[in-house]
Amino acid sequence: MFDRPGLAARLCAQRLLGAVIEKNSSLDGLTDNNTGNAQYLALEPRDRSLVRAILGTSLRNRGTIEQTIRRLLDRPLPENAHSLKHLLHVATAQILYLSVPDHSAVDLAVTAADNDPRNRKYAGLVNAILRRIVRSKEKVLAHAAKTDQAANNVPAWFNEMLIAAYGEEKAAKILQMQTYEPPIDLTVKGDPRHWAEVLNGTVLPNGSVRLGSFEGSLTDLQGFEDGEWWVQDMAASLPARLMGDLKGKKVADLCAAPGGKTAQLALAGADVTALDLSANRLKRLQGNFDRLKLPVKTHQTNLMDYQPEELFDAVLLDAPCSSTGTVRRHPDVPWTKTPDDLAKLATVQTNLLARAVDFVKPGGIIVFSNCSLDPQEGEEVARAALKNPALEACPITAEDCPGIENLITDEGFLRSTPADMPHENPQLAGMDGFFAARFRKKSA
């Protein structure tokens, strides 16, 4: 019975959901097409896509799914029945949110339970509860739409962090956006209006092109093979735009991979050196640049040990962070990070930013950024950096961010959240959460 079509994908989704929730494993790592989970890699591409869809949906709507299951159970599930809970979450996500026939979702879940020694005695319960969910699907979704369920879809610490940083109203909007699939944004080499027309997209205020609906693979779209564009969230494109005129200047991207910002620097005419701790990540970056036909020098190094042969005119430090600003794209983040992780990462960022100052000529520009929503990793790191007597603030201005001036804070920082840039269609709205600050190294 294990060879039933679609069963392997459901079993894989169940296992990977458990790895995220119980072991804090990264979903990107588990579903990497080269180094991912062995059970995932054994699947055909179509089934891999289904697994990713199930997992993303399960995590984005975890609270709604959990409450639905609990409400329709006659008695609570045993506390240690983790595998059973993951099985029910995977099946419920398909029934409520994915275009999977209800009978398939139910039948495959029952088969999965019946063939698992841990869950075999619960096969009848699985059948009963999932059929109840099928019958009450419309009521469940209507209830979720009318009530504030979004805060239940993330761990309590994540919701509390957002409220402390942005207030209850904006925190609720950020969490609501987290429940939607994110749009796909492209940074283009040429005229954004041309590529928006060719790819059926929309030009955003910063010049990115946001795609509408399309079928197939991104790599099949016009311009990909010729290196005319690359995928990059609108917010992720902003830090590199804060560095001014770069033509002919020596610039370092200090934590460069996967290279979207590096490509922006090269496209702006800079002489770019891309640095990263990981040789494999730099290899992928170089592969991307081969497609984009942009020049770049790469160097594998630990920034704390790096000694440039000569100082740079400017550096970009897009520092390692919690990635809490990317919850729409990476809905596992709230479940795989902890408040302690954020504090540790803020210390790493502080140390890297202090080190970055040593790489820049007097009068040179330093842009610090990351994709965290937590001010501990953004505003607080930037404020602390200004205590360095070698640095002075270089506030971000409206001229740097035409059309999105509202993202500039009173301190001259840039701060975006998924709740910014609303749209009548939520799946075309918003952007990643990003922070950026700009500094100048004082002349001697």
Side-chain angles (χ1 to χ4, degrees):
M1 296 183 69
F2 281 105
D3 60 355
R4 284 192 59 184
L7 181 58
R10 272 67 171 192
L11 292 172
C12 180
Q14 177 186 337
R15 170 172 284 191
L16 298 194
L17 182 60
V20 170
I21 299 300
E22 296 174 40
K23 300 179 181 179
N24 306 123
S25 299
S26 161
L27 191 56
D28 274 358
L30 292 169
T31 58
D32 185 280
N33 283 324
N34 296 306
T35 60
N37 174 271
Q39 190 172 349
Y40 174 80
L41 294 178
L43 299 174
E44 295 295 325
R46 182 177 178 180
D47 281 340
R48 291 186 191 182
S49 296
L50 176 59
V51 168
R52 293 194 299 271
I54 291 173
L55 290 172
T57 301
S58 298
L59 291 166
R60 284 192 184 90
N61 301 282
R62 184 162 178 77
T64 300
I65 291 171
E66 180 70 21
Q67 289 184 1
T68 299
I69 294 170
R70 286 183 178 179
R71 190 164 56 247
L72 296 177
L73 280 170
D74 294 329
R75 61 177 63 90
L77 298 174
E79 282 299 319
N80 63 348
H82 300 301
S83 176
L84 175 61
K85 293 176 182 178
H86 301 321
L87 183 155
L88 289 172
H89 269 256
V90 163
T92 303
Q94 296 170 69
I95 293 168
L96 294 181
Y97 299 106
L98 298 178
S99 56
V100 174
D102 292 338
H103 65 86
S104 294
V106 175
D107 291 348
L108 287 169
V110 173
T111 300
D114 198 42
N115 284 275
D116 186 336
R118 297 168 297 177
N119 296 329
R120 185 169 297 138
K121 64 181 178 180
Y122 298 113
L125 180 148
V126 169
N127 183 58
I129 187 63
L130 293 180
R131 290 188 182 280
R132 289 178 190 175
I133 292 172
V134 169
R135 290 195 297 269
S136 59
K137 181 194 306 191
E138 292 184 6
K139 290 183 179 179
V140 169
L141 294 175
H143 176 74
K146 290 180 180 179
T147 57
D148 183 14
Q149 295 275 357
N152 297 321
N153 289 325
V154 295
W157 75 264
F158 190 83
N159 184 40
E160 291 164 3
M161 178 271 287
L162 292 179
I163 292 174
Y166 303 100
E168 289 190 6
E169 182 179 353
K170 187 155 189 177
K173 291 179 179 178
I174 291 172
L175 289 175
Q176 187 59 47
M177 291 302 297
Q178 183 263 349
T179 63
Y180 301 110
E181 286 274 356
I184 295 174
D185 296 344
L186 308 178
T187 298
V188 301
K189 282 184 178 180
D191 181 2
R193 291 170 296 181
H194 166 74
W195 285 107
E197 182 177 351
V198 169
L199 300 174
N200 188 31
T202 302
V203 179
L204 301 180
N206 68 320
S208 294
V209 174
R210 178 158 292 179
L211 298 186
S213 59
F214 70 95
E215 296 181 1
S217 171
L218 279 171
T219 58
D220 294 332
L221 292 180
Q222 185 174 334
F224 176 83
E225 286 293 339
D226 296 328
E228 294 294 335
W229 50 262
W230 60 95
V231 176
Q232 185 179 37
D233 186 83
M234 170 188 176
S237 77
L238 299 178
R241 300 174 188 269
L242 303 176
M243 303 188 74
D245 184 3
L246 295 178
K247 290 180 181 178
K249 293 184 178 179
K250 292 180 64 64
V251 180
D253 189 353
L254 300 184
C255 298
K261 299 175 188 65
T262 320
Q264 288 180 270
L265 301 176
L267 187 61
D271 177 6
V272 184
T273 299
L275 298 96
D276 204 273
L277 182 62
S278 167
N280 285 334
R281 285 166 61 87
L282 279 178
K283 184 177 180 180
R284 291 189 186 184
L285 180 149
Q286 187 61 65
N288 291 335
F289 269 71
D290 291 343
R291 177 180 69 84
L292 296 174
K293 302 177 181 66
L294 291 171
V296 64
K297 295 188 285 284
T298 61
H299 188 74
Q300 180 194 359
T301 184
N302 183 327
L303 290 183
M304 303 309 292
D305 301 326
Y306 177 59
Q307 296 291 340
E309 294 181 2
E310 58 179 301
L311 297 180
F312 296 96
D313 297 302
V315 299
L316 171 63
L317 173 63
D318 189 54
C321 73
S322 62
S323 301
T324 48
T326 67
V327 288
R328 291 181 73 183
R329 301 180 192 285
H330 306 287
D332 59 309
V333 166
W335 303 99
T336 57
K337 298 292 192 301
T338 68
D340 286 345
D341 292 330
L342 273 61
K344 292 175 183 177
L345 285 162
T347 299
V348 171
Q349 294 156 18
T350 297
N351 293 336
L352 290 176
L353 182 51
R355 185 75 180 108
V357 179
D358 297 333
F359 305 150
V360 186
K361 296 176 182 177
I365 291 294
I366 301 167
V367 171
F368 164 72
S369 67
N370 62 48
C371 56
S372 172
L373 284 168
D374 189 351
Q376 180 181 204
E377 296 182 83
E379 287 85 345
E380 292 180 21
V381 172
R383 291 172 191 141
L386 287 171
K387 296 178 182 179
N388 185 335
L391 279 187
E392 61 184 6
C394 186
I396 298 165
T397 68
E399 287 73 22
D400 297 312
C401 304
I404 47 175
E405 299 89 348
N406 61 304
L407 302 183
I408 303 172
T409 73
D410 292 341
E411 296 175 271
F413 302 143
L414 183 145
R415 163 60 73 190
S416 68
T417 78
D420 294 315
M421 208 173 72
H423 190 282
E424 60 184 11
N425 180 353
Q427 292 178 322
L428 292 177
M431 63 185 85
D432 284 351
F434 246 84
F435 174 82
R438 185 169 59 190
F439 310 93
R440 180 178 285 107
K441 187 173 182 177
K442 293 180 181 177
S443 299

